């Protein structure tokens, strides 16, 4: 199972003519998860041909406007399109208070049903789970309560070798136990170790979303070993003092977090609109963590 991440918006507070505020879609086979919903998200969904009806779970990291101002427009459009589904919104509890009056003002019967799930802003929390994936929220360090999100595929069982079934005449009733890790005992009492009977399953996929945040070492333990880390890089090191003042990160600090957390790959975004050439961000980050890419609108990243 592959994860596919589509960047809808990669900029910080002020949008530019070609960079939108934060929004992403993580496509896990069978489900699409919208992460943050800055202004213009619904336009970007259309441009990237992502069906609105696939958006059933929305995760809002915090209540600065560039991370949720697109939400009421998206919900209104989904309603106008006649999308008939529950839409689960995982966000700080105040979000419902902020947008409920707008939802109440929508004329006619709502075809969609927004369901709000308040986040724990002080400690890690499992916010969604099914048989394939677990999603955690965890606190980061910003000027208002903010969380990151970790999307983690659940481990799969080992695969039994077909030739071993035939070689040891393994009954169908035993295969489930062997896939779960059991050894097998033959009729003559010989114990066949599990590692001989099976091949290991693929390593579970994982994706971590960390924005807005200052460099915050406790994050590293939570996301340790993640396949792809998206970490904000609002500024370059030349504006490190401003980053510290506003509780944001530089590209170098994002790279330091990737290195500290032993991430396989780093994706940086949430760029300040004062920067036109983003190549300097990539250059700065790669000095610390080589496997770094820029988050670019419309680009897809496969995990």
């Amino acid at each position: 199972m592959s994860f596919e991440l589509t960047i809808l918006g990669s900029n910080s507070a002020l949008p530019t003519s070609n960079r939108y505020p934060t929004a992403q879609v993580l496509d896990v086979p069978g489900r699409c998860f919208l992460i943050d919903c800055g202004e213009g998200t619904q336009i970007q969904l259309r441009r990237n041909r992502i069906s609105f009806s696939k958006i059933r779970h929305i995760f809002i990291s915090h209540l600065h406007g560039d991370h949720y101002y697109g939400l009421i427009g998206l919900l209104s459009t989904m309603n106008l399109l006649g999308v008939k589904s529950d839409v689960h919104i995982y966000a700080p509890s105040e979000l419902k208070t902020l947008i409920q009056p707008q939802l109440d003002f929508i004329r006619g019967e709502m075809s969609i049903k927004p369901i709000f799930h308040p986040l724990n802003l002080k400690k890690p929390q499992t916010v969604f789970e099914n048989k394939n994936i677990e999603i955690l929220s965890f606190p980061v360090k910003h000027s208002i309560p903010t969380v990151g999100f970790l999307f983690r595929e659940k481990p799969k069982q080992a695969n039994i070798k077909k030739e071993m079934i035939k070689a040891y005449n393994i009954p169908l009733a035993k295969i489930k136990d062997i896939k779960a890790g059991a050894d097998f005992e033959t009729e003559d009492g010989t114990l066949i170790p599990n590692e001989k009977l099976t091949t290991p399953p693929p390593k579970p996929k994982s994706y971590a979303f960390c924005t807005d945040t200052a460099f915050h070492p406790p994050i590293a333990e939570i996301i340790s070993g993640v396949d792809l880390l998206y970490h904000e890089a609002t500024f370059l090191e030349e504006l490190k003092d401003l980053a510290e003042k506003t509780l944001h990160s530089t590209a170098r600090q994002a790279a330091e977090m990737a290195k500290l957390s032993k991430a396989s790959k780093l994706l940086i975004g949430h760029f300040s609109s004062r920067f036109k050439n983003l190549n300097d961000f990539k250059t700065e980050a790669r000095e610390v963590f080589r496997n770094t890419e820029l988050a670019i609108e419309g680009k897809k990243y496969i995990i």
Side-chain angles (χ1 to χ4, degrees), residues 221-283:
E221 184 177 352
I222 298 169
I223 66 170
S224 179
V226 71
D227 290 310
L228 178 62
L229 166 61
Y230 174 86
H231 195 287
E232 75 129 278
T234 308
F235 301 109
L236 294 171
E237 276 291 297
E238 65 194 44
L239 291 177
K240 184 177 179 180
D241 290 345
L242 183 56
E244 291 177 354
K245 181 180 178 180
T246 57
L247 293 176
H248 283 293
S249 296
T250 66
R252 177 176 291 275
Q253 289 172 330
E256 288 170 351
M257 179 56 68
K259 187 175 181 179
L260 187 62
S261 63
K262 297 181 173 61
S264 297
K265 186 174 183 176
L266 172 65
L267 188 62
I268 53 175
H270 199 262
F271 308 111
S272 169
S273 58
R274 72 188 67 202
F275 297 100
K276 309 305 178 188
N277 182 3
L278 299 181
N279 287 327
D280 290 341
F281 284 83
K282 183 166 62 177
T283 299

Side-chain angles (χ1 to χ4, degrees), residues 5-7 9-10 21-26 33-37 59-62 66-67 135-140 146-151 206-213 219 222-223 226 228-232 267 269-270 295 303:
L5 180 73
T6 302
I7 302 299
S10 69
T22 303
Q24 307 178 358
V25 169
L26 183 67
F33 300 105
L34 177 62
I35 311 167
D36 277 348
C37 190
F59 299 83
I60 304 296
S61 61
H62 65 296
D66 54 318
H67 294 262
I135 303 173
L136 284 77
S137 66
F138 54 90
V140 296
T146 305
V147 299
F149 297 104
L150 175 62
F151 298 78
S206 56
Y207 171 63
F209 172 89
C210 298
T211 193
D212 296 11
T213 182
I219 293 172
I222 298 169
I223 66 170
V226 71
L228 178 62
L229 166 61
Y230 174 86
H231 195 287
E232 75 129 278
L267 188 62
H270 199 262
I303 305 171

